[in-house]
Amino acid sequence: MSDGRQFNYIYGVIAFLVMIVVNFALWRLFFAPTNGVFKLFTPMYGLSLAAFFMFSVMIVADIFEYRERENNIGKGLMLTAVSLVIFYAGYYGLFWNVLGKYGVTYFSPQAIVSAGGTGAEIWNARENASLAILYVITALIWVSIIWNTGLKSFPWQNDTKWVRGVSRFFGVATFSVFVYAIFFHPNVTALFVPKQIYAGVLPWWEDAAMTSSSFYHLGWMFAGLFVLMFIEDSMEGFPLDKFSSGEEKRWVSGIVSLVIAVAAGFVILYIIEAILNYYWYEPFMGGNYTDDPRFRHLHVAEISAFFMLALLIIKVYFNNIINLKSSALNYLVRFAGVFVLGMVIYFFYYSDTIGPKYMDRVPGVGSIDDTSLCWTIMSMAIIMVHDKFFNGLPLRRKDG
Amino acid sequence: MKRRTFLKGLGASAVGLGAAATLGSPSKALAARGKEDIGECKSLKITVLSETSWFNNDQFKKDIVDNGGASTNQYAIPWDRENSGGYAALLEIEQLDGTVNKLLLDTGWNNEWMDYVYERHGIDKMLKSGEIDTMVLSHWHLDHFWGIESTLKHNDKITMYGPETMYEEDEKLLYGGKHEVAGCENNVPFKGKLIKTNPKEWYKLMPGLAVKEFDVPILLRVRGENVIYVNVKDKGIVTVTGCCHPGLLTLYSTARRNIKGGEKIYGCYGGLHISLFENWDPKFDDIIKGAERFEPVKMGCNHCTGWIWAENAAKAGLPIVKGTNTYKTYPKQSSVAKESNVFLTNGDTVTF
């Protein structure tokens, strides 16, 4: 392990298999649309729930730095419970019942229905509110990962953990407001009839994206996040660490982190969409399914998330494959591993047989009623809980 | 910066070629087979037998939401039978020599409603006499298929084109069966020929008319939809759909790419599956702008198109064919019908 602890590959495989069982059980319990219990995959409602929970885990583990490294199951359960409380209080309390009812109508399905007007019934209202919440969470996750990768604890590295956590949380939240307002809010205000033109501008990216949907931004943001995650988890922070000395003066690496997130995000977006164009022709404004530019952008986010999931699996359960002295070789092999596993997950999800059976979904690509992000993000959240709150039990030992 | 230019530059990149080897045949390779010649006809007349699949939008949505959401199995939902109607249309295709062929598109949902509709338009007699001997089933959704008994009771040997992506539950209903929870049944087993359509073929039923299946996932666990392409001489291509789940512009694009003479788009008829729940999304603006680029001449829409989309499309200048008030003479009407008449509603006709 990169943290110097022993890694047992057999335990890694066992833990991975257990994770798959947990994954299947939770998907069937909460999301599976036909054979599930709660059937929350609708899809925006389910997706926003999964994303919010993942961010709650990130708040506890990455922003406030509460992680379990001593194999204490009780502490792991407590941290999980805290994440669930943040998730529940944030999603239903803050968004649905405080912000939605006393501030911004579109964050609460009930508030939308109460306001009346075209399309203001519970089905549309819940999906629209969920989309808005998803966008907010995307902004928070995007800023949070850029911050953690680039700045880490800077400029509060000499303060207590609690001060660092609170400061970083409000720092992330502040920047996220701008990200949300510029990239996502104009989409949400266009969900209503008439468009809320005094609340938000008309989507300004329409010509470049061939759609006024903010899925365009989901595409490049998720792609950029994958690169940052690879830098942090598979390349031990290289090359960002080269821009600063230790914990001091990390503001430079913070800016570089932001530049990488944006630049790499767009480059990957264009590369993946060029490949998709090769298969499905170029999309056109107003097309459906694979012809829909909106779907293509979303699909870039979906593909990036598959690679993020692959990255987490390889890091947590397979110790990043190799740990040789040659960093370059390590990075190369790990990238190859992430790419291959990411493609395997892609074909698993979109296969005509096993994926749809596992996921309880109709085979096919590009349906507006289906996005793989819900399952992928739920899977990443499960692995994060296992890794950060339970120290990857049983695969890591207390003593190295 | 113009994104398209950049993308075109990358289109033939080594990355793309590498992925081509991994993922199998890209769609461009399929297009290289050449264009289909589906022939020509003189005109196409469509009668809206029923486009009111359900009468109360909110109740229909409630049935779905209460039982799991958009992707749940339609046979697992205890639908409100009082709210069920059905979708069906009569196509009359006039050939270049003046002969007229009749074709039934879909068979509705509620048998009581469909029996009324068939009797009102004389479809029952046309089925009995063999004047109508073929039905194209657009897809296996409840509101297009579950009223199958209303058709079979007049002609159980009718030839039927249905997407190959049918489930066991569909088969059970077609060949005489009942689904308790969903509240549908068919007491007249199908004895005709079922042609299961697949997306690789063009099914040419008569000069100027072909059926094409699109294998797309659809809400309520359904998959695949048949689309009727009609090539009207000197006018162009008309698409006729049940719900148009693949997307109107995808259908137009397919015509341009794959049908001889398909460059000229004339129009469409049917449900267009846009703002079916009378909501709005930026994507619906995309469809209006995208449709303008195909320059259609006559657009007849109803059913799952969404009144609000049709109204906005008409305002934006798309050639939406207005309906009449005939629907008001039917015993039940849709709760979303408006005075703007941007839908071709029950009893209306349109000629291409």
Side-chain angles (χ1 to χ4, degrees):
Chain A
M1 288 294 298
S2 54
D3 60 4
R5 291 160 192 260
Q6 282 184 345
F7 189 91
N8 185 317
Y9 284 90
I10 294 174
Y11 284 166
V13 171
I14 293 169
F16 176 61
L17 295 174
V18 170
M19 186 276 293
I20 290 177
V21 173
V22 171
N23 183 296
F24 181 79
L26 289 178
W27 182 258
R28 283 296 157 120
L29 178 63
F30 290 112
F31 298 110
T34 293
N35 298 318
V37 178
F38 294 106
K39 299 179 179 177
L40 297 173
F41 181 68
T42 60
M44 284 305 152
Y45 183 42
L47 172 53
S48 64
L49 290 172
F52 206 118
F53 178 67
M54 190 175 89
F55 183 62
S56 302
V57 174
M58 290 170 66
I59 289 176
V60 174
D62 300 332
I63 294 179
F64 282 87
E65 302 172 27
Y66 282 97
R67 296 190 185 192
E68 167 51 30
R69 296 191 189 281
E70 303 299 324
N71 292 359
N72 184 332
I73 294 177
K75 197 174 165 192
L77 289 172
M78 192 191 71
L79 293 174
T80 308
V82 170
S83 300
L84 284 168
V85 168
I86 292 172
F87 157 72
Y88 202 82
Y91 196 99
Y92 297 108
L94 180 64
F95 278 96
W96 277 27
N97 285 303
V98 178
L99 282 177
K101 289 187 178 171
Y102 300 102
V104 185
T105 314
Y106 63 59
F107 282 134
S108 165
Q110 292 80 10
I112 294 172
V113 172
S114 298
T118 304
E121 47 69 45
I122 195 64
W123 169 296
N124 296 326
R126 197 175 68 175
E127 286 298 285
N128 287 350
S130 300
L131 182 64
I133 294 172
L134 171 72
Y135 284 156
V136 172
I137 294 301
T138 301
L140 284 163
I141 290 174
W142 190 71
V143 175
S144 177
I145 290 181
I146 290 171
W147 193 298
N148 275 329
T149 309
L151 295 175
K152 297 203 183 292
S153 298
F154 183 81
W156 305 289
Q157 67 273 12
N158 298 321
D159 291 303
T160 62
K161 188 157 95 169
W162 185 247
V163 170
R164 284 202 303 272
V166 171
S167 305
R168 189 159 41 200
F169 177 77
F170 282 103
V172 166
T174 303
F175 284 105
S176 299
V177 170
F178 292 100
V179 172
Y180 173 77
I182 293 168
F183 297 111
F184 298 116
H185 179 65
N187 177 173
V188 181
T189 55
L191 290 173
F192 303 96
V193 179
K195 289 187 181 75
Q196 309 298 296
I197 55 171
Y198 296 111
V201 298
L202 291 173
W204 46 265
W205 53 85
E206 188 185 280
D207 284 344
M210 293 198 300
T211 175
S212 43
S213 168
S214 283
F215 283 4
Y216 179 56
H217 305 300
L218 283 188
W220 66 263
M221 282 187 184
F222 269 74
L225 287 183
F226 164 69
V227 174
L228 288 188
M229 281 179 69
F230 191 81
I231 287 173
E232 181 71 6
D233 292 329
S234 305
M235 296 171 62
E236 289 92 29
F238 177 83
L240 289 176
D241 286 345
K242 302 297 177 194
F243 292 96
S244 308
S245 52
E247 289 297 306
E248 302 296 326
K249 297 180 183 174
R250 282 202 68 100
W251 63 272
V252 180
S253 62
I255 292 172
V256 175
S257 176
L258 173 64
V259 170
I260 289 175
V262 176
F266 274 104
V267 168
I268 292 175
L269 177 93
Y270 287 140
I271 291 173
I272 293 178
E273 292 199 349
I275 295 168
L276 299 180
N277 290 350
Y278 186 77
Y279 276 91
W280 295 325
Y281 291 98
E282 291 210 343
F284 42 86
M285 181 171 263
N288 261 27
Y289 292 86
T290 55
D291 289 335
D292 184 358
R294 177 177 175 269
F295 163 72
R296 298 281 179 100
H297 305 318
L298 176 67
H299 204 45
V300 172
E302 291 172 335
I303 291 169
S304 302
F306 285 139
F307 286 128
M308 289 184 210
L309 178 60
L311 185 155
L312 281 180
I313 290 171
I314 285 175
K315 176 186 171 257
V316 174
Y317 300 109
F318 298 97
N319 199 23
N320 259 336
I321 306 177
I322 61 168
N323 294 279
L324 303 175
K325 282 184 181 174
S326 167
S327 297
L329 188 61
N330 284 344
Y331 304 158
L332 201 64
V333 172
R334 288 170 191 172
F335 180 78
V338 167
F339 182 80
V340 170
L341 183 58
M343 293 306 294
V344 168
I345 298 171
Y346 182 97
F347 285 113
F348 167 73
Y349 190 92
Y350 291 110
S351 67
D352 279 347
T353 51
I354 184 167
K357 278 195 172 63
Y358 183 100
M359 234 65 68
D360 190 26
R361 63 181 285 272
V362 178
V365 183
S367 169
I368 54 171
D369 303 309
D370 174 53
T371 166
S372 62
L373 277 180
C374 183
W375 174 76
T376 319
I377 289 177
M378 183 202 78
S379 303
M380 287 198 284
I382 292 170
I383 296 174
M384 284 182 182
V385 167
H386 189 199
D387 178 38
K388 297 172 193 283
F389 296 161
F390 291 93
N391 198 29
L393 271 174
L395 59 88
R396 254 168 263 159
R397 302 288 178 82
K398 181 179 172 184
D399 300 311
Chain B
M1 171 183 166
K2 283 285 177 191
R3 215 176 127 259
R4 319 311 311 151
T5 313
F6 186 78
L7 287 174
K8 278 176 184 168
L10 286 169
S13 69
V15 182
L17 293 172
T22 313
L23 296 172
S25 300
S27 50
K28 279 181 182 170
L30 294 174
R33 295 192 309 181
K35 293 190 173 185
E36 293 289 337
D37 186 355
I38 67 170
E40 289 180 322
C41 63
K42 192 172 178 185
S43 69
L44 165 68
K45 180 185 174 192
I46 297 174
T47 303
V48 186
L49 302 178
S50 173
E51 56 89 21
T52 44
S53 284
W54 50 88
F55 301 99
N56 186 318
N57 232 6
D58 291 343
Q59 180 61 47
F60 184 73
K61 280 180 279 188
K62 186 175 184 304
D63 289 343
I64 297 173
V65 171
D66 289 352
N67 292 279
S71 300
T72 202
N73 180 351
Q74 61 179 347
Y75 289 98
I77 297 176
W79 298 97
D80 178 359
R81 291 287 292 170
E82 291 303 308
N83 192 33
S84 60
Y87 181 93
L90 173 68
L91 277 66
E92 295 172 77
I93 304 100
E94 185 183 5
Q95 296 297 328
L96 297 179
D97 63 5
T99 58
V100 176
N101 298 318
K102 291 182 178 173
L103 189 68
L104 185 62
L105 171 65
D106 293 337
T107 181
W109 177 358
N110 182 313
N111 288 122
E112 200 180 327
W113 175 257
M114 294 312 298
D115 288 346
Y116 163 77
V117 165
Y118 279 8
E119 189 183 347
R120 179 169 173 149
H121 289 277
I123 301 298
D124 48 355
K125 293 184 182 68
M126 293 180 205
L127 285 164
K128 268 182 192 148
S129 68
E131 208 176 333
I132 297 175
D133 62 2
T134 304
M135 178 176 87
V136 173
L137 182 75
S138 62
H139 60 301
W140 300 97
H141 257 161
L142 65 170
D143 52 320
H144 297 257
F145 168 59
W146 289 6
I148 185 69
E149 186 182 300
S150 294
T151 295
L152 296 182
K153 72 166 70 165
H154 303 298
N155 182 356
D156 60 1
K157 294 186 179 63
I158 192 168
T159 299
M160 186 171 150
Y161 290 79
E164 64 177 359
T165 43
M166 67 191 298
Y167 289 95
E168 280 176 17
E169 294 100 320
D170 303 319
E171 207 149 341
K172 180 180 169 186
L173 191 66
L174 179 62
Y175 291 101
K178 185 175 184 177
H179 294 284
E180 295 278 355
V181 174
C184 61
E185 65 180 307
N186 168 28
N187 296 302
V188 186
F190 175 65
K191 293 176 184 162
K193 187 178 177 188
L194 173 63
I195 295 147
K196 294 184 177 179
T197 53
N198 70 68
K200 292 175 188 165
E201 305 296 328
W202 288 84
Y203 299 86
K204 297 167 191 171
L205 275 58
M206 62 193 77
L209 186 146
V211 172
K212 171 83 176 161
E213 200 251 336
F214 290 80
D215 183 10
V216 290
I218 303 173
L219 79 171
L220 299 175
R221 201 209 51 162
V222 172
R223 185 178 161 195
E225 178 162 345
N226 280 333
V227 171
I228 298 172
Y229 281 94
V230 181
N231 188 11
V232 183
K233 187 175 170 57
D234 298 330
K235 290 182 176 173
I237 297 290
V238 179
T239 57
V240 183
T241 52
C243 276
C244 199
H245 291 100
L248 179 66
L249 306 189
T250 294
L251 306 193
Y252 284 171
S253 177
T254 300
R256 282 191 169 173
R257 202 180 292 149
N258 296 307
I259 298 177
K260 191 178 168 190
E263 305 81 30
K264 205 169 162 188
I265 299 296
Y266 189 66
C268 66
Y269 167 79
L272 301 183
H273 197 76
I274 303 174
S275 57
L276 71 160
F277 291 142
E278 301 302 326
N279 59 329
W280 199 256
D281 188 283
K283 178 180 166 55
F284 305 155
D285 287 316
D286 296 348
I287 296 173
I288 291 173
K289 288 170 190 163
E292 286 167 348
R293 292 172 191 172
F294 283 90
E295 299 177 341
V297 177
K298 211 175 210 183
M299 298 176 75
C301 59
N302 53 31
H303 183 42
C304 56
T305 304
W307 279 82
I308 190 163
W309 185 85
E311 285 180 339
N312 283 343
K315 274 182 207 159
L318 284 175
I320 302 290
V321 181
K322 294 281 180 77
T324 67
N325 285 327
T326 307
Y327 72 93
K328 291 181 179 173
T329 64
Y330 281 63
K332 280 175 148 183
Q333 287 107 46
S334 167
S335 59
V336 292
K338 294 174 188 168
E339 293 303 319
S340 60
N341 275 350
V342 288
F343 265 21
L344 289 171
T345 49
N346 296 343
D348 285 336
T349 61
V350 60
T351 303
F352 297 94

